[in-house]
Amino acid sequence: MSQGSAFEPPERVKSWLKMNKLGAGGFGSTWLYQSDSDADEYAAIKFLGQSPLSEPRTETVDRFRREGKIMKSLDHQSIAKLKDSDCETPWIAMEYFAGEDLKRVLVKRGALDQREWFRLASEMLNALTYMHQNKVIHRDLNPGNIIKILILY
C-alpha cells in the first residue's frame, strides 16, 4: 500500500468513521476517527505506509506488529493505549489525546513558561520511566510526537 500524498484511508475502519488527517511520519500516516456508537470517543489510527527502500516489506510489517504489541502491554496515563489493530491491512487504532504536538506549540508560541515546562517534563519523565521499567525504549521521541494537552488549573 503506497502512502504518498495521495493516500486516502477508508471512510470506515471497523466501528470507526474517518474525520481528518492528523499527520504523517516515517511509518505512514495517522488519521482521526470517531466511534460510530459514541460521539465522544475518538481514535488516532495509524496506517502503515511504504517500506523504506533499504527494508523488505515483511520487515516493516513485523516492526509495525511489534509496535502494536508493545502498545498493548503498556498502561500509563501519559501513553496512548492501543484500542484495536489489524496487521493484515495494516493499521493500529490508539487512544486519541486532544491537543497540539509540542513542535507546533513551540513554533506558534515560542518557549514554554517555567510552570508549563516543568509540568510537561515531569509527565514525559514519568512516562519514559514507566516504559524503561517495562523494557521498552521509545525510538522516536521528538517534539512532533509529544502532545501538549491543555489542562486548566
Side-chain angles (χ1 to χ4, degrees):
M1 167 190 330
S2 172
Q3 290 243 318
S5 59
F7 174 75
E8 191 65 35
E11 292 298 317
R12 174 183 286 276
V13 174
K14 287 193 174 178
S15 63
W16 301 100
L17 303 171
K18 183 175 76 172
M19 303 285 293
N20 58 287
K21 187 174 185 176
L22 294 172
F27 242 156
S29 59
T30 304
W31 296 73
L32 178 64
Y33 278 71
Q34 182 180 36
S35 170
D36 66 0
S37 61
D38 181 351
D40 292 329
E41 185 178 5
Y42 296 90
I45 300 183
K46 182 190 295 190
F47 293 89
L48 182 61
Q50 292 180 338
S51 300
L53 295 177
S54 62
E55 182 175 87
R57 179 72 176 171
T58 54
E59 211 170 298
T60 306
V61 172
D62 285 345
R63 287 193 309 126
F64 198 70
R65 278 191 183 114
R66 281 194 306 273
E67 179 179 345
K69 235 177 162 177
I70 288 167
M71 288 181 69
K72 187 175 183 175
S73 74
L74 299 176
D75 184 17
H76 189 277
Q77 67 184 15
S78 297
I79 299 172
K81 291 170 182 48
L82 180 74
K83 288 183 169 276
D84 200 355
S85 67
D86 176 357
C87 287
E88 299 305 315
T89 305
W91 56 266
I92 294 174
M94 56 199 128
E95 180 179 18
Y96 172 69
F97 289 147
E100 286 188 289
D101 68 62
L102 183 57
K103 182 177 181 178
R104 284 190 184 125
V105 170
L106 295 173
V107 166
K108 280 175 32 180
R109 285 187 22 206
L112 300 178
D113 67 35
Q114 187 176 14
R115 182 176 171 182
E116 287 178 297
W117 172 246
F118 281 126
R119 182 178 57 82
L120 182 60
S122 176
E123 289 173 15
M124 288 183 341
L125 290 172
N126 284 333
L128 287 170
T129 298
Y130 172 81
M131 290 173 70
H132 292 175
Q133 287 170 341
N134 285 278
K135 309 284 190 259
V136 174
I137 297 171
H138 195 299
R139 293 175 38 171
D140 192 20
L141 187 61
N142 67 71
N145 285 339
I146 298 168
I147 304 299
K148 184 176 180 304
I149 301 169
L150 177 61
I151 299 175
L152 300 173
Y153 52 105

